[in-house]
Structure formats: structure tokens, C-alpha cells
């Protein structure tokens, strides 16, 4: 695969706020500065949420005589450059939005055939991040290229601006919705890519996204990541356990974490979910970039696609051990358990210390098996660290007993 100048190893995953989920087109500079101030006072900036991103509807409906996108002076009377300066001075980075077609999804100017001009404008305004949508596509007879080709145009424009200005390229986030298997080519052009349609503020939308991404989770690495869409936590339609599951899956799958709720009405429970430092540390792991992946589907046979009951048992590497996640997709409490050797990241014949990443407790040492009571639509997240050889004399002598064989060929155990 060809990597262009935008493909660089990232130090941190993207975390922050995006205006679309809550405000949609009802945005202005006061909304943005108030949001930034709340993020700082609530401790969200300190927890790692350092982007404040403007989505659609910030511009006038027509470009000016020079062909430039113009910020709406009624919404942003001080101008975008002043807004980004304000955000930067308060410790934030700033994100903006455009589209690979004639118009954005909201009917404002898109960037097709104006990619370099718009990349220059966004740089001049002081933006660090560009979300790039996929609406209002020109006719095939005009583009003579498919979706990757249209994203390449903006990717090359961003790279050109960074080279000419000797600056860091804007982070390029592809909002392509997965129609053309963007997880196969997205990292050639940007740092993240949407894999599904828009998220909804209800459990069935979450499980549908989790199910789809369970089959492509290995696409995430330091050069790009699957984007499961913005966080719905705090929008009122999810139970506490659903919200916690939502955030845990997104964080451990290394999806960009962009809040889309009304921060002025945020609850203590929601804030505690969003600022779980132990899970954020795994999300921001500077050594291991991989997403967690399923090691057993649970209710369904392995590799079964089920939009309401996705894979339940997941694990992945971290610099400090192996993270394991158990997701209860049932409407009732469930006893969930697994053999340690089911995950490829744990070794047979070893025992492991167990850290509960939600209770923030050390739960002793696990030998061969872990079980937990998981609330309906709830989640358990554990960090396991090697604690030496398992106790001698365990029977059967193999955790996976059905292939356990003595050197004379005799099967033992079971």
C-alpha cells in the first residue's frame, strides 16, 4: 500500500468534542467557546479530550468572488482565525468540516474541485483537523474516479499545504460510511475512517456498529483507525450500563472519542464514564496501537454476524498486560466466563493478576478461568498481568484438556 505524506505514526488517538450530535446547525462562536470552557472546568481537557471540532453549517451557502469558503458572519462574527486562536490559547486543538462533493450534507459549499483552495483556507484559519464527508457526489462523467480518488484529492491538498508552509498536516478524518470498504484503503489518505452509517442514541444502533466492526477490528494500527462514530453518552436514551458499554467498546477499539452531548447538563455518572483514566491510558497506549478483537462470540458460533447480539468476548495487548472485555448483549444479567487460554495474548500454564478497570480494584489472581456477573447490556473490562507459573498439580494438566496428551500418546483429562 502507498503511504502518502499524511500517513505518520500518531502519538495520541483523537479525543474531543464535535458539535453535530447535539447542536447540528445551531452553532456559533459562543457555543464553541462555552464548550471549550466547560471541557476545561469539567476536567475533560485534562483527561485527554483536547479537540473542539466544528461540524457542518458554519459557512455561508455560497463562496465569495475569489472562490473561498466564508464563515457565516452572523454565527462567527469574530472570524474563524480568532476562534482557533482562542481554542489554542486554552490548550485545545481545533477541527473543521467539509465534503468530497459539490456540497456538504447540510447543503453548504463542499470541496470538490476546490480542494487545495479549501485546505489553504483551513490552514489560514488555524485548524488542526478536518472531518471530510461524502455527500453531493459529482457525476461519474465529471470525476472519472471512485470514492478513494475523491479523498485522495483532499489528502494531497493537505500534504501540499503542509509542505509549502512547513507545518504539521491537518489530521484527515474520512467520513465515508464504509460503502467502499474504506478500512482497506483509508490509511493511505488519512488517520481515521468511518466504517458505518451514522450512530443513533439507542442500544440497537450500538450493537449494530459493534457487530460490523468486530470483523474489521484488525484494520486499526498507529497509521489509522476505524471510526465507530461520535459518542452518544449523555443524550438521555441509553441506560447507565449501556452508556458505559458504549464508551468502553469505543475506547478499547481505539475509535476516535468525540463527545456530542450537552456539556452544560452533563451528569456526574456521565462524567465518570468519560474520564475513566485507566481505560483512557489503554486507549492512548504509546506502545501498542491495536484494537481489541473478539476471541469468542459467545451467544452465537464464532464469526457469526448478528446486529443485535455481537461478539461478547474480546481481548487485546497493552504495554502493561492484556485487556479483556466481556459484553453482555442480553436484556438480563448474565454469568460470563472464559478460559484464559482462549485469548491469544495469555499463556498456558501461567496465572494472572486481575485489575477491574471499572471498579478500580485488584481482584486477586486468576488461574485458568475468570467468571463475572454482568448487568444487562453491561460490560466488564479487566487488565491481566502475568503473575508467574500456575500452581502445581492442577488436574487436568492442560487447560484445553481435549487435546492434552502425554508424551506416550495417551490423552489425559476430560
Amino acid at each position: 500500500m502507498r503511504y502518502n505524506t499524511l500517513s505518520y505514526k500518531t502519538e495520541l488517538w483523537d479525543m474531543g468534542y464535535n458539535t453535530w450530535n447535539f447542536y447540528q446547525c445551531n452553532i456559533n462562536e459562543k457555543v464553541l467557546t462555552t464548550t471549550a470552557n466547560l471541557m476545561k472546568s469539567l476536567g475533560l481537557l485534562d483527561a485527554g479530550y483536547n479537540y473542539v471540532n466544528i461540524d457542518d453549517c458554519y459557512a455561508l451557502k455560497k463562496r465569495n468572488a475569489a472562490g473561498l469558503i466564508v464563515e457565516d458572519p452572523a454565527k462567527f462574527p469574530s472570524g474563524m482565525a480568532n476562534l482557533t486562536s482562542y481554542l489554542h490559547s486554552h490548550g485545545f486543538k481545533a477541527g473543521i468540516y467539509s465534503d468530497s462533493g459539490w456540497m456538504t450534507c447540510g447543503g453548504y459549499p463542499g470541496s470538490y474541485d476546490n480542494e487545495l483552495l479549501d485546505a489553504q483556507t483551513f490552514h489560514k484559519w488555524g485548524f488542526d483537523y478536518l472531518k471530510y464527508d461524502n455527500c453531493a457526489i459529482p457525476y461519474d462523467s465529471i470525476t472519472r474516479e471512485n470514492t478513494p480518488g475523491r479523498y485522495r484529492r483532499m489528502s494531497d491538498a493537505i500534504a501540499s499545504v503542509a509542505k509549502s508552509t512547513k507545518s504539521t498536516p491537518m489530521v484527515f478524518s474520512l467520513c465515508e460510511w464504509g460503502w467502499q470498504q474504506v478500512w482497506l484503503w483509508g490509511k493511505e489518505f488519512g488517520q481515521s475512517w468511518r466504517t458505518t452509517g451514522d450512530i443513533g442514541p439507542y442500544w440497537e444502533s450500538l450493537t449494530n456498529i459493534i457487530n460490523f466492526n468486530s470483523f474489521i477490528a484488525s484494520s486499526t494500527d498507529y497509521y489509522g483507525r476505524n471510526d465507530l462514530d461520535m459518542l452518544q453518552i449523555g443524550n438521555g436514551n441509553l441506560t447507565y450500563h449501556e452508556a458505559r458499554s458504549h464508551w468502553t467498546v469505543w475506547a478499547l477499539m481505539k475509535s476516535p472519542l468525540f463527545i456530542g452531548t450537552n456539556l452544560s447538563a452533563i451528569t456526574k455518572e456521565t462524567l465518570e464514564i468519560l474520564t475513566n483514566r485507566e481505560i483512557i491510558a489503554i486507549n492512548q497506549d504509546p506502545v501498542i496501537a491495536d484494537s481489541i478483537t473478539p476471541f469468542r462470540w459467545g451467544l452465537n458460533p464464532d464469526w457469526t454476524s448478528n446486529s443485535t447480539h455481537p461478539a461478547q468476548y474480546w481481548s487485546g495487548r497493552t504495554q502493561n498486560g492484556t485487556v479483556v472485555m466481556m459484553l453482555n448483549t442480553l436484556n438480563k444479567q448474565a454469568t460470563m466466563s472464559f478460559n484464559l487460554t482462549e485469548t491469544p495474548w495469555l499463556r498456558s500454564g501461567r496465572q494472572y493478576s486481575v485489575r477491574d478497570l471499572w471498579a478500580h480494584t485488584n481482584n486477586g489472581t486468576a488461574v485458568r478461568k475468570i467468571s463475572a456477573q454482568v448487568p444487562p447490556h453491561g460490560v466488564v473490562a479487566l487488565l491481566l498481568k502475568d503473575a508467574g507459573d500456575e500452581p502445581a498439580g492442577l488436574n487436568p494438566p492442560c487447560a484445553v484438556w481435549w487435546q492434552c496428551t502425554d508424551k506416550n500418546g495417551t490423552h489425559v483429562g476430560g
Side-chain angles (χ1 to χ4, degrees):
M1 175 176 287
R2 180 185 72 89
Y3 289 97
N4 69 13
T5 54
L6 289 183
S7 297
Y8 53 87
K9 183 175 178 180
T10 57
E11 295 299 322
L12 297 172
W13 305 104
D14 301 333
M15 299 173 63
Y17 189 91
N18 183 284
T19 57
W20 185 255
N21 277 5
F22 181 74
Y23 293 102
Q24 297 196 355
C25 286
N26 299 314
I27 56 172
N28 54 54
E29 63 184 48
K30 184 176 181 181
V31 165
L32 273 297
T33 56
T34 299
T35 295
N37 293 338
L38 281 169
M39 291 176 71
K40 200 164 187 177
S41 65
L42 290 168
L44 290 166
L45 174 61
D46 188 52
Y49 294 89
N50 64 338
Y51 277 96
V52 177
N53 288 2
I54 304 169
D55 211 281
D56 207 349
C57 311
Y58 62 84
L60 294 178
K61 285 291 183 83
K62 292 186 178 180
R63 295 173 179 268
N64 67 13
L68 300 175
I69 291 177
V70 180
E71 65 267 68
D72 186 334
K75 294 180 177 180
F76 297 94
S78 301
M80 288 299 190
N82 283 328
L83 176 61
T84 60
S85 293
Y86 179 90
L87 295 174
H88 291 152
S89 69
H90 284 73
F92 292 96
K93 295 183 178 181
I96 194 66
Y97 168 94
S98 192
D99 191 284
S100 66
W102 298 123
M103 294 171 287
T104 68
C105 299
Y108 294 82
S111 290
Y112 184 77
D113 216 25
N114 287 286
E115 290 86 0
L116 182 58
L117 195 63
D118 290 354
Q120 291 169 339
T121 296
F122 300 148
H123 174 77
K124 183 179 180 181
W125 283 349
F127 284 101
D128 310 287
Y129 182 108
L130 175 61
K131 174 184 172 182
Y132 207 54
D133 226 327
N134 193 34
C135 289
I137 300 167
Y139 297 154
D140 294 348
S141 59
I142 296 173
T143 67
R144 304 292 182 186
E145 58 192 356
N146 57 7
T147 302
R150 287 184 290 107
Y151 279 91
R152 181 194 298 272
R153 293 164 67 105
M154 180 53 83
S155 174
D156 290 345
I158 293 171
S160 175
V161 170
K163 182 177 180 180
S164 65
T165 59
K166 296 181 173 58
S167 60
T168 301
M170 284 188 296
V171 173
F172 191 32
S173 176
L174 286 58
C175 188
E176 193 274 334
W177 320 316
W179 288 0
Q180 286 203 347
Q181 296 181 303
V182 64
W183 54 91
L184 297 178
W185 51 265
K187 69 183 65 175
E188 186 172 355
F189 307 123
Q191 286 76 52
S192 65
W193 45 85
R194 277 277 298 283
T195 57
T196 65
D198 290 352
I199 193 172
Y202 47 90
W203 177 248
E204 291 77 12
S205 177
L206 305 183
T207 58
N208 179 62
I209 292 172
I210 294 167
N211 175 64
F212 186 87
N213 281 272
S214 67
F215 297 97
I216 59 170
S218 60
S219 299
T220 285
D221 59 26
Y222 264 124
Y223 297 96
R225 54 244 182 238
N226 295 322
D227 181 354
L228 281 61
D229 203 7
M230 291 173 280
L231 296 167
Q232 292 290 329
I233 297 169
N235 282 341
N237 294 311
L238 299 176
T239 69
Y240 170 73
H241 289 296
E242 288 170 347
R244 199 161 77 162
S245 295
H246 172 21
W247 187 84
T248 302
V249 175
W250 266 235
L252 295 181
M253 290 189 77
K254 307 294 178 75
S255 174
L257 298 176
F258 283 101
I259 303 165
T261 191
N262 179 8
L263 291 182
S264 64
I266 196 169
T267 67
K268 180 181 178 181
E269 286 184 337
T270 297
L271 190 60
E272 287 176 348
I273 291 172
L274 292 170
T275 57
N276 182 322
R277 299 299 183 102
E278 293 192 72
I279 292 180
I280 288 175
I282 296 173
N283 175 267
Q284 299 288 309
D285 193 322
V287 177
I288 304 295
D290 307 345
S291 163
I292 58 170
T293 55
F295 61 85
R296 173 154 54 91
W297 261 245
L299 289 175
N300 300 298
D302 290 352
W303 302 105
T304 298
S305 178
N306 188 318
S307 62
T308 57
H309 296 289
Q312 294 183 288
Y313 296 87
W314 303 64
S315 66
R317 300 178 299 159
T318 82
Q319 64 173 327
N320 294 315
T322 297
V323 62
V324 174
M325 182 183 78
M326 294 185 286
L327 179 68
N328 180 12
T329 63
L330 296 175
N331 297 327
K332 59 183 180 180
Q333 180 172 291
T335 301
M336 301 185 69
S337 63
F338 65 96
N339 186 308
L340 298 185
T341 58
E342 290 184 76
T343 165
W345 312 118
L346 299 176
R347 296 164 55 192
S348 300
R350 307 289 286 181
Q351 57 187 335
Y352 290 85
S353 64
V354 181
R355 174 73 176 176
D356 188 317
L357 299 177
W358 277 111
H360 306 294
T361 56
N362 295 319
N363 292 1
T365 302
V367 178
R368 293 200 174 178
K369 184 178 180 179
I370 288 178
S371 295
Q373 296 294 315
V374 189
H377 299 176
V379 71
V380 169
L382 307 172
L383 184 64
L384 306 185
K385 296 184 180 182
D386 192 294
D389 289 338
E390 66 180 21
L394 294 180
N395 188 46
C398 300
V400 185
W401 57 265
W402 52 90
Q403 284 295 331
C404 192
T405 308
D406 188 87
K407 64 181 179 181
N408 65 12
T410 302
H411 281 205
V412 295

